[in-house]
Amino acid sequence: MLRFGMLVYVNGKFVPKEEALVSVFDHGYLYGDGIYETLRAYNGKIFLLSKHLARLKLSAEAIGLNLPLTLDKIGDALREALTVNKLREAYMRIQVSRGTGDIGLDPALCPAPSMVIITKPFKDYPEDLYAKGVEVSIVNTRRNHPASLSPSIKSTNFLNNILAKIESLKAGSYEGILLNWEGYVAEGTISNIFHVKKGVLYTPDLKTGILEGVTRDLVMHLARKERIPVKEAQIKPRELADADECFLTNTTVEVLPVTRIDGKDVGAGTPGAITARLMAAYRDEVTKHV
Ligand code: PLP
């Protein structure tokens, strides 16, 4: 029988998604003990692959996890995941967990990490989202303190973000924005945040306790190339509320305008001019690399 379905990479093999399983004794399942990356492929090429691999390595080091393959070989497996699934426009997720072991927190209980690569055809976000912008809400859940679980680790331990997402869904907003332990603006549940005031582009600095987004870095680089002044800073919620423009970034959504914060319009309530320039610059950059 001919089967058509996604093939998932599980510990060295591509298997149909129905057979893509890890043990209930995997410490990723039991304790959220693992790391991951989300990537996007355009026209058959994985965008900013080396940056994602570098961050995967940093996350692995931060939790004392030995990656099962070299970064080059992981890159090969990611490319193979596209080829075997015949995908050119794709969403990709690579996840490495501590692996299968007895109950208990000691990582030494798990002899080998589990590595999984999931790919899906990329479904474009509705153009309306970009044309109109989205609403965000500032949630009560605070971003993890960097001294307890550093947001710079791209960990599969996502409850902090999920609690924020539940609040944002209740508020009817597209994304929840978390403040840090001191009440400064940190980031979204799956995104970094930027705002524009009087022609200057602001984003929370790394000291705030955020994930250093690959897209965030590229957007700051593109802004500097466009001669837009960029400031990484500690940002108060009031400054965000008073912004002229605001937008979110991540690997899949790229640059997404925010036009309402907690029910109040940002600037004129439509995507701003600097946001539009950066959306275009980002898409140009993608076109150059794929
Ligand atoms: N912040 C958080 C908490 C995230 O989960 C993500 C992406 O998933 C981002 C920021 C954006 O990161 P990137 O631009 O590397 O996709």
Side-chain angles (χ1 to χ4, degrees):
M1 193 181 74
L2 204 64
R3 292 178 69 164
F4 186 76
M6 282 298 134
L7 294 174
V8 178
Y9 175 102
V10 184
N11 295 325
K13 285 196 206 118
F14 284 96
V15 296
K17 75 174 190 200
E18 301 74 16
E19 291 161 33
L21 304 169
V22 290
S23 165
V24 294
F25 290 98
D26 192 291
H27 283 206
Y29 176 74
L30 287 172
Y31 307 117
D33 185 356
I35 55 169
Y36 80 106
E37 281 293 317
T38 297
L39 306 96
R40 184 166 166 187
Y42 299 84
N43 196 25
K45 275 176 97 178
I46 303 169
F47 191 51
L48 304 176
L49 174 60
S50 59
K51 307 259 184 219
H52 285 282
L53 290 176
R55 191 171 58 189
L56 186 72
K57 181 164 176 270
L58 284 180
S59 298
E61 283 167 0
I63 69 161
L65 178 74
N66 287 324
L67 291 173
L69 298 174
T70 62
L71 292 190
D72 278 351
K73 289 260 183 325
I74 293 176
D76 290 345
L78 284 161
R79 279 187 286 265
E80 205 184 339
L82 283 183
T83 316
V84 298
N85 285 301
K86 300 187 178 59
L87 285 173
R88 300 198 68 75
E89 309 299 323
Y91 160 95
M92 313 189 77
R93 179 184 169 101
I94 176 164
Q95 178 160 330
V96 188
S97 66
R98 191 73 65 182
T100 301
D102 204 350
I103 302 268
L105 302 190
D106 183 354
L109 292 165
C110 308
S114 304
M115 189 166 108
V116 166
I117 300 171
I118 298 169
T119 49
K120 285 196 299 188
F122 188 79
K123 264 186 53 200
D124 280 328
Y125 291 87
E127 264 310 314
D128 228 33
L129 222 53
Y130 296 91
K132 293 196 177 140
V134 298
E135 172 158 8
V136 301
S137 51
I138 295 184
V139 298
N140 291 320
T141 304
R142 294 290 171 105
R143 192 68 177 114
N144 286 327
H145 192 296
S148 50
L149 176 56
S150 173
S152 68
I153 303 170
K154 201 158 169 61
S155 154
T156 54
N157 198 311
F158 233 56
L159 258 188
N160 183 216
N161 317 46
I162 290 167
L163 294 178
K165 178 73 184 177
I166 290 169
E167 283 191 64
S168 136
L169 288 169
K170 275 196 189 136
S173 71
Y174 182 84
E175 174 66 305
I177 304 300
L178 296 95
L179 308 180
N180 78 353
W181 74 102
E182 290 178 311
Y184 290 106
V185 175
E187 61 186 332
T189 63
I190 56 160
S191 58
N192 290 115
I193 187 158
F194 287 80
H195 75 273
V196 176
K197 186 73 185 174
K198 296 192 167 72
V200 179
L201 182 65
Y202 292 89
T203 197
D205 61 14
L206 297 180
K207 272 197 316 226
T208 304
I210 58 167
L211 182 76
E212 185 174 0
V214 169
T215 320
R216 172 184 179 275
D217 282 354
L218 177 57
V219 165
M220 287 196 291
H221 169 76
L222 294 173
R224 290 185 181 113
K225 255 177 63 182
E226 295 266 322
R227 307 252 175 263
I228 299 164
V230 180
K231 283 200 181 143
E232 292 175 80
Q234 309 247 294
I235 294 161
K236 298 195 181 95
R238 264 283 306 278
E239 295 172 70
L240 202 61
D242 291 342
D244 301 327
E245 301 181 31
C246 181
F247 61 86
L248 304 172
T249 63
N250 77 23
T251 295
T252 50
V253 82
E254 305 174 338
V255 175
L256 179 65
V258 171
T259 45
R260 282 171 84 78
I261 302 175
D262 285 331
K264 188 176 155 276
D265 279 355
V266 179
T270 52
I274 289 182
T275 306
R277 270 168 73 193
L278 291 169
M279 285 164 76
Y282 192 91
R283 289 196 176 166
D284 277 356
E285 192 70 14
V286 169
T287 317
K288 261 196 248 158
H289 284 86
V290 298

